[in-house]
Every structure is written in structure tokens, then in C-alpha cells.
């Protein structure tokens, strides 16, 4: 048997890249003793918003007295972010122990030859961690798509699809309908479906799938009827509004988060009726929800967002125009080559007094060079300069006190900034 340490083994799995399909995950889950068997999952898919929606659900459940597991990806500064129990990242000691145990199972000779991917391994590892912790509910976020995503080996108590837009077309298809078909793959027979606002052609695909499986579908809750107010707490903004006769305080900013909230409300109503969740306690708890790198205000002058596709950048622009009408920012931007960076830049350009472009230091994926991005910005009529890295760009931008600074374009860029400027525990722990 191989003596490769668990962390080294896990890192070696990156070479196998993306491998859609469930057979390997099912095999590894079985080798691990099927830890998913007795867990209650809330399975989340969607082009954008699934992380924020998951964070709201996790916080609400925890606030109502349930023990939670939350599996999300990618991580920003530490792999342990992917595995949170009661809002806190798994400890280093537990991570090492569970990863070593699973690595041994993965290397075991069973007569069936499998090469597991990084995401297949972390998905099974998450189920192990949550089963051993005895959590009441697992918020279970897909990595990409749904139908062939490794997370789709479980039968949840609810399937949740936040929205559908163009992204990952090379894997999921080149139309809204094709992408919707992949996301709809998480819908299970007789398991209720909750879905957010999305194009009509996507909604039709979900509803057709739900009807064929006897899955009761429910769209987002009613529109927020009254005005939205913005208040400050410890120098940071939050939004407040009335909903269903209750006062909602939400530290996550932007109209997109209000849409996510309306979906969360529907799911919480279901959990209140089925599992006795205290809806008032759950909703009150949202005043404490945190989700790093989603329109996150690090200080009074610096905002960080991980939006990485046109739909996400459109939501960011809408949020910033709401928070700071007419204000122009120094925008620090980077993007991977497989993303629609040109459209994303066009969407964010109205916010930009200038762009500072940086490379992404993610070895496995090619990024747009700062030179290429500068050429795109010139076509848009926005001044642009290059910087060697994210920290240098942020420091240079903050030195000009006449403007606020906005970091956008990639979760990996957001992670680089948070690793340098945020308290590590504030990224790892949501509680």
C-alpha cells in the first residue's frame, strides 16, 4: 500500500481535473462506509447565488437550534472552509485524521480501478466529517452543474436551484435550456423542489422535470413589498426590510441577496412545517449571516466580490449602484481565460474610474493577462494599468483616498486579497 501522506495524496488528485459522472463518487462513498446514508441534505445548485443562499440557510438553521454541516466550494484561503460544522471550519486535526482515513480507503485495492478526482474526494470527505459530527442538516452545494456533479449521489430532503445563466458552457451546454437540464438533474422523485428567479425557458425545464418525478415545485416567496433601508454596524453596511410581517436584517448586500432571501424563506417555511424549525428564530438569526467575498465590505473603502461571469458581475454592479449611487471606484480585476471576461468588463465598466489588472496565480487554469485586459478596457474608454499582484494593486488603489476600491472578476482573486488583508478566522468561520 502507498505511504503517501494524506495531504500529498489529496493534492495529487488535482491532476485528474474535472470528470463528470457519479460512479467514482459512489465507489468512494461505499469504501468510506456510506456516511451519507443517514444525513439530511439540502441540495443546492445554480449558476450564481448558491453559496450565499447556503450561508443563509446554514445560519438560519443554526440560529434555530439545529446542528449544521455546510459543504461549499471553492475555498478562498484554506481547504477547511469547504467543511463547516455549526458554521466553523473543521479543525486541522480532524481534517488531517479524516483525510488520512479516506485516502487509505481510496488507495485500497478492491479489484475496481478508480482514479478519484479532487472534488470526488472532498465530497466524500465532507459526508464523513458531517456524519461523525452527527449534524441535523447538511447544506450541500454542487460544484458544477448538477446531474453529473459528485454531490448528486445523495437523496436530499429538498432540492434548491437558485438561478440559471450562461456559465461553464464547455461542460454544461451552450444554451439556457441545456444548462437548466443539467441543474435539474438534482431533482429527485417526490423530493420538493425550490427554485429562484430565472429565465422562463429555464423554469420550464425545471418544472417539466419536477412533474415527471412527482416533485412538488415552489418558486421564490413574494416580492419584498416595502422600502429597503441601509444601516451601519461597526462601520459596515447591512440592509433591512419588512417581509411577511417580520423585520429582516441582512448583512449580505445587494438586490441579488434579497432574491436569494425570498428563496431561503420558502425553504425555511417548508422546514418549519416538516421538521419543527422555529421560523422566527431562524429569520432573526439572519442578522448574523456572513459569506466572505460576496459584495463583502472589508472596511469603509474596500469591497471584495467573487463574481466571475456576466450574471454575477451584473448583480455586483446593481448592488454597488444601490449602495453608492453615481460613485466611481478603482476596480481591481482579473479573470480566467475560460470565462466571458469581455462581457463582464462591459458590465462593470460604468462603476470604474480606472481599472487595475492583475494576473491570477492558479497554476491549473490559464488567466487573461493584464495586457489583454488593458486592451479591452481601452475599447471601453476606461483608463487601465497593470500590477504584478493583487496586494500591490490594493495598496496602490487605497493610497488614493479620493476613491473607494472594488475587487472583482474571480473568487480566486478575492481569495488572494482576503488571504493578505482579512483575519483568517473570519474567512474560515461563519459563526
Amino acid at each position: 500500500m502507498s505511504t503517501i501522506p494524506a495531504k500529498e495524496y489529496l493534492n495529487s488528485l488535482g491532476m485528474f481535473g474535472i470528470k463528470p459522472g457519479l460512479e467514482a463518487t459512489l465507489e468512494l462513498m461505499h469504501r468510506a462506509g456510506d456516511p451519507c446514508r443517514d444525513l439530511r441534505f439540502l441540495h443546492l445548485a445554480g449558476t450564481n447565488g448558491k453559496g450565499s443562499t447556503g450561508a443563509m440557510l446554514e445560519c438560519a438553521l443554526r440560529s434555530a437550534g439545529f446542528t449544521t454541516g455546510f459543504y461549499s466550494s471553492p475555498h478562498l484561503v484554506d481547504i477547511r472552509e469547504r467543511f463547516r460544522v455549526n458554521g466553523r471550519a473543521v479543525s486541522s486535526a480532524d481534517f488531517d485524521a479524516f483525510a488520512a482515513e479516506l485516502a487509505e480507503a481510496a488507495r485500497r485495492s478492491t479489484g475496481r480501478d478508480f482514479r478519484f478526482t479532487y472534488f470526488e474526494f472532498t465530497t466524500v470527505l465532507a459526508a464523513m466529517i458531517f456524519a461523525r459530527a452527527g449534524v441535523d442538516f447538511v447544506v450541500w452545494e454542487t460544484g458544477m452543474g448538477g446531474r453529473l456533479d459528485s454531490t448528486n449521489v445523495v437523496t436530499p430532503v429538498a432540492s434548491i436551484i437558485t438561478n440559471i445563466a450562461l456559465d461553464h458552457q464547455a461542460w454544461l451546454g451552450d444554451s439556457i435550456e441545456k444548462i437548466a437540464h443539467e441543474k435539474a438533474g438534482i431533482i429527485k422523485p417526490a423530493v420538493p423542489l425550490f427554485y429562484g428567479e430565472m429565465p422562463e425557458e429555464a423554469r420550464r425545464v425545471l418544472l417539466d422535470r419536477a412533474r415527471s418525478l412527482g416533485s412538488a415545485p415552489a418558486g421564490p416567496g413574494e416580492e419584498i413589498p416595502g422600502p429597503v433601508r441601509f444601516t451601519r454596524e461597526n462601520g459596515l453596511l447591512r440592509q433591512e426590510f419588512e417581509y411577511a410581517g417580520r423585520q429582516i436584517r441582512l448583512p449580505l448586500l445587494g438586490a441579488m441577496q434579497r432574491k436569494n432571501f425570498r428563496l431561503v424563506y420558502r425553504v425555511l417555511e417548508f422546514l418549519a412545517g416538516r421538521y419543527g424549525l422555529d421560523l422566527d428564530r431562524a429569520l432573526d438569526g439572519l442578522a448574523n449571516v456572513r459569506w466572505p467575498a460576496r459584495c463583502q465590505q472589508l472596511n469603509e473603502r474596500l469591497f471584495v466580490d467573487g463574481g466571475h461571469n456576466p450574471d454575477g458581475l451584473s448583480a455586483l454592479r446593481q448592488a454597488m449602484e444601490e449602495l453608492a449611487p453615481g460613485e466611481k471606484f478603482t476596480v481591481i480585476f482579473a479573470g480566467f481565460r475560460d470565462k466571458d471576461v469581455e462581457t463582464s468588463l462591459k458590465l462593470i465598466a460604468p462603476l470604474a474610474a480606472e481599472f487595475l489588472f492583475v494576473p491570477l496565480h492558479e497554476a491549473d487554469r490559464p488567466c487573461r493577462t493584464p495586457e489583454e485586459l488593458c486592451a479591452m478596457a481601452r475599447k471601453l474608454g476606461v483608463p487601465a494599468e497593470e500590477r504584478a499582484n493583487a496586494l500591490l494593486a490594493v495598496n496602490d488603489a487605497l493610497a488614493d483616498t479620493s476613491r473607494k476600491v472594488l475587487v472583482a472578476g474571480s473568487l480566486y482573486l478575492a481569495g488572494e486579497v482576503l488571504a493578505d488583508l482579512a483575519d483568517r478566522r473570519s474567512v474560515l468561520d461563519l459563526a
Side-chain angles (χ1 to χ4, degrees):
M1 181 179 292
S2 170
T3 58
I4 301 174
K7 282 187 177 179
E8 187 177 335
Y9 172 79
L10 178 57
N11 290 334
S12 76
L13 301 182
M15 71 180 68
F16 301 120
I18 298 171
K19 189 179 66 180
L22 304 182
E23 185 181 12
T25 308
L26 286 167
E27 169 72 16
L28 187 56
M29 193 76 79
H30 183 64
R31 292 187 191 186
D34 292 316
C36 64
R37 182 176 50 239
D38 297 321
L39 292 170
R40 291 190 294 210
F41 293 91
L42 303 175
H43 197 184
L44 272 163
T47 304
N48 290 304
K50 56 185 181 290
S52 301
T53 299
M56 289 189 217
L57 286 168
E58 187 281 325
C59 183
L61 284 161
R62 175 164 37 89
S63 299
F66 291 102
T67 303
T68 61
F70 186 9
Y71 177 51
S72 62
S73 62
H75 58 271
L76 294 165
V77 302
D78 190 307
I79 188 175
R80 293 183 294 118
E81 295 165 45
R82 297 179 181 229
F83 321 96
R84 291 185 173 100
V85 175
N86 268 351
R88 296 186 178 275
V90 63
S91 70
S92 294
D94 283 348
F95 175 81
D96 290 346
F98 288 129
E101 182 181 338
L102 185 58
E104 183 179 349
R107 294 189 293 249
R108 186 182 307 135
S109 176
T110 64
R112 291 165 57 81
D113 184 26
F114 283 92
R115 291 178 179 264
F116 302 108
T117 67
Y118 186 96
F119 191 69
E120 288 164 349
F121 187 93
T122 60
T123 298
V124 177
L125 181 60
M128 284 179 61
I129 290 169
F130 300 146
R132 303 287 177 86
V135 303
D136 299 313
F137 287 97
V138 176
V139 178
W140 189 245
E141 181 189 325
T142 57
M144 183 179 69
R147 182 175 65 93
L148 298 176
D149 188 80
S150 292
T151 60
N152 204 29
V153 298
V154 307
T155 299
V157 299
S159 304
I160 305 160
I161 301 176
T162 57
N163 76 342
I164 293 172
L166 293 175
D167 198 17
H168 298 299
Q169 288 99 310
W171 296 100
L172 305 181
D174 58 2
S175 70
I176 291 293
E177 291 91 341
K178 289 178 182 177
I179 293 172
H181 173 74
E182 294 300 320
K183 309 285 187 192
I186 72 166
I187 304 171
K188 300 295 192 302
V191 174
L193 165 68
F194 298 89
Y195 62 90
E197 288 191 5
M198 63 186 64
E200 178 59 27
E201 59 267 36
R203 193 174 72 89
R204 282 198 301 269
V205 171
L206 300 191
L207 293 181
D208 286 347
R209 170 78 174 172
R211 279 193 290 267
S212 72
L213 295 175
S215 169
E222 296 178 357
E223 294 277 355
I224 293 168
V228 177
R229 300 171 296 281
F230 293 94
T231 61
R232 286 187 181 274
E233 185 171 322
N234 299 322
L236 304 181
L237 289 165
R238 70 179 179 188
Q239 53 183 328
E240 299 183 359
F241 49 88
E242 301 281 342
Y243 197 82
R246 298 174 173 89
Q247 179 76 9
I248 305 300
R249 295 175 296 161
L250 194 61
L252 305 182
L253 301 174
M256 177 71 169
Q257 300 296 1
R258 296 195 293 274
K259 291 180 181 179
N260 291 336
F261 164 79
R262 290 164 50 209
L263 175 57
V264 166
Y265 185 85
R266 284 287 184 152
V267 178
L268 294 178
E269 279 190 312
F270 161 73
L271 295 174
R274 178 73 63 88
Y275 298 102
L277 174 136
D278 185 323
L279 189 57
D280 289 323
R281 284 179 63 192
L283 293 171
D284 286 345
L286 291 179
N288 300 311
V289 67
R290 295 177 50 256
W291 191 231
R294 277 67 171 189
C295 201
Q296 181 183 1
Q297 189 179 8
L298 283 188
N299 57 49
E300 290 193 3
R301 293 189 52 227
L302 178 60
F303 293 83
V304 179
D305 189 83
H308 53 272
N309 55 40
D311 189 63
L313 270 295
S314 178
L316 174 60
R317 174 179 163 183
Q318 187 179 16
M320 300 311 295
E321 289 175 339
E322 184 176 70
L323 295 170
E327 191 163 347
K328 297 280 189 176
F329 297 79
T330 297
V331 178
I332 299 168
F333 190 97
F336 286 116
R337 195 166 289 280
D338 61 352
K339 298 295 181 182
D340 187 357
V341 170
E342 193 162 5
T343 300
S344 293
L345 278 179
K346 288 178 182 177
L347 287 166
I348 208 72
L351 295 177
E354 65 171 342
F355 281 110
L356 296 182
F357 293 119
V358 300
L360 289 168
H361 303 288
E362 170 65 23
D364 294 336
R365 294 174 66 184
C367 70
R368 291 285 187 178
T369 67
E371 183 180 20
E372 289 175 309
L373 295 171
C374 280
M376 294 179 191
R378 284 194 292 271
K379 292 180 182 178
L380 297 171
V382 181
E385 296 182 9
E386 303 175 26
R387 292 293 185 272
N389 58 63
L391 182 59
L392 178 62
V394 171
N395 287 337
D396 285 354
L398 289 174
D400 180 357
T401 58
S402 66
R403 283 196 294 268
K404 294 185 176 72
V405 181
L406 175 62
V407 177
S410 169
L411 274 170
Y412 291 88
L413 174 62
E416 289 181 27
V417 172
L418 293 176
D420 286 325
L421 299 177
D423 174 71
R424 192 174 185 86
R425 294 307 321 178
S426 73
V427 181
L428 284 167
D429 296 339
L430 306 179

